[in-house]
Amino acid sequence: MKSFERLVLSHLKDITDPLLDPMQFAYRANRSVDDAVNMALHFILQHLDSPGSYARILFVDFSSAFNTIVPSLLRDKLSQLNVPDSLCRWITDFLTDRRQFVRLEKYVSDSRIISTGSPQGCVLSPLLFSLYTNSCTSGHQSVKLLKFADDTTLIGLISDGDESAYRREMDRLVSWWNGGVATIEECPDEDVWGVVWKMAVEDITSLDKQESVDKGVYSPMEVTVETETGPLLCRTYKMNNFRPCAPSPQYKEVICLGAQQNGLPEDYIKKLQAVETNNYTGPSILDEIKKHRN
């Protein structure tokens, strides 16, 4: 099996290498951790030549990184990188319904079926993780996001004390890993159900701040909503630089709970409940919600 994995690895590299994020330095020919360090120093020192400038750096090491891969999401990302469908199906099947057990000396645990993550020690795992995180990039020229497998460095090149772009990219990085969030996208022949709230005009500024409009995360937009009493022109928010990814289980729970509490159609709620998550198990805003509810 190892020999076949190496054949797949070689073929996958040939297809995806030209499309990989240039800021990913791990497991690529003629690149190393030294190159990543030198690139970071180059960005920082070049920027510090300008008066009134400084840099902020965030070092991130994601725990159990290979275990976060969701096969169905990986398949979508591979398709976007022009990987043939037959190879996408093989990789999805390879990562799904794997048997796993623990051996300690002469003792062996019962086996369990695993359908999340990529096997530790598998020659494919590092590249699959790089491809899985390929879309995690910086959206602003003053912020550099360098990756070496699961070690990530976010560099903010700050001028005149304006850290807004760096803070925004930091929020996006956290959001990318905790899970996808809601936005609105035009899609012919599709319906989106929701709740219309009536509020005072003077409260719009507060609502915009809650949706991080001032930080450039969301932009307000007007949409026509069909209601039982006729169409209404409503304000909603669309995420800037949106990159689709699976939501965390906690975020999905909040969305489904809101749909149930506000009496949205049962078939629409089932559609929400069928959405796959990224199996995130860390702290989330849901912890705070439950704390206040109790």
Side-chain angles (χ1 to χ4, degrees), residues 16-35:
T16 61
D17 195 64
L19 302 174
L20 278 179
D21 176 16
M23 294 293 112
Q24 173 62 267
F25 291 85
Y27 314 116
R28 303 182 67 181
N30 302 317
R31 293 196 176 202
S32 68
V33 67
D34 290 337
D35 295 312

Side-chain angles (χ1 to χ4, degrees), residues 77-88:
K77 295 175 183 291
L78 292 176
S79 296
Q80 295 169 9
L81 293 170
N82 301 325
V83 176
D85 187 61
S86 57
L87 184 52
C88 290

